[in-house]
Amino acid sequence: MGIYAVKTTASQERTVADMIINREEPEIHAALAPDSLTSYVMVESEGDAVLNRVLEDIPHARSIVPGKSDISEVEHFLSPKPDVEGIAEGDIVELIAGPFKGEKAQVQRIDEGKDQVTVELYEATVPIPVTVRGDQIRVLDSDER
């Protein structure tokens, strides 16, 4: 058993992965289409012979990359990275969702456990700390750059 990389048409990775799994082949155990991996789908299978047979009927599936991978090579795709990763205290951010959408703010505190960031709005006459989810902000300027 191994993990095989299947080359696909760009932007069709999720479609190909879904079609592979929907075939319900007992020798194919899983298919993964990570967002960070363009034009490839990772498939866990008993061997590449069954995969070659399945891919003949799937549009947008191009070929199997020769050789197989180990789980250690793909496990970084399996755990989601927190939204607050890459954000540091003092960074200038823009709120992209919520009631303060469009406002600029400075990061005061980061709570990685809750995936939240406390920011202080720039244009407010009185400094107001606002706590938002990590996916509701976009970094504009970072002290580390």
Side-chain angles (χ1 to χ4, degrees), residues 121 124-128:
L121 299 177
T125 48
V126 178
I128 306 168

Side-chain angles (χ1 to χ4, degrees), residues 69-117:
S69 303
D70 192 64
I71 188 73
S72 62
E73 295 177 62
V74 295
E75 65 187 351
H76 66 278
F77 293 124
L78 301 176
S79 57
K81 73 175 200 201
D83 291 322
V84 296
E85 191 174 296
I87 299 172
E89 289 182 15
D91 284 359
I92 306 302
V93 297
E94 178 184 7
L95 292 130
I96 56 173
F100 298 106
K101 181 178 180 177
E103 294 283 334
K104 290 180 178 55
Q106 184 172 23
V107 176
Q108 300 298 316
R109 198 169 48 251
I110 300 167
D111 186 345
E112 288 186 20
K114 293 182 179 175
D115 211 18
Q116 292 181 335
V117 178

Side-chain angles (χ1 to χ4, degrees), residues 35-79:
D35 292 334
S36 57
L37 196 60
T38 308
S39 298
Y40 290 95
V41 173
M42 305 307 290
V43 181
E44 184 180 24
S45 173
E46 296 291 334
D48 61 351
V50 67
L51 203 49
N52 274 319
R53 190 180 76 239
V54 167
L55 294 182
E56 287 175 7
D57 301 333
I58 296 180
H60 305 296
R62 298 287 168 242
S63 62
I64 298 175
V65 177
K68 62 182 179 179
S69 303
D70 192 64
I71 188 73
S72 62
E73 295 177 62
V74 295
E75 65 187 351
H76 66 278
F77 293 124
L78 301 176
S79 57

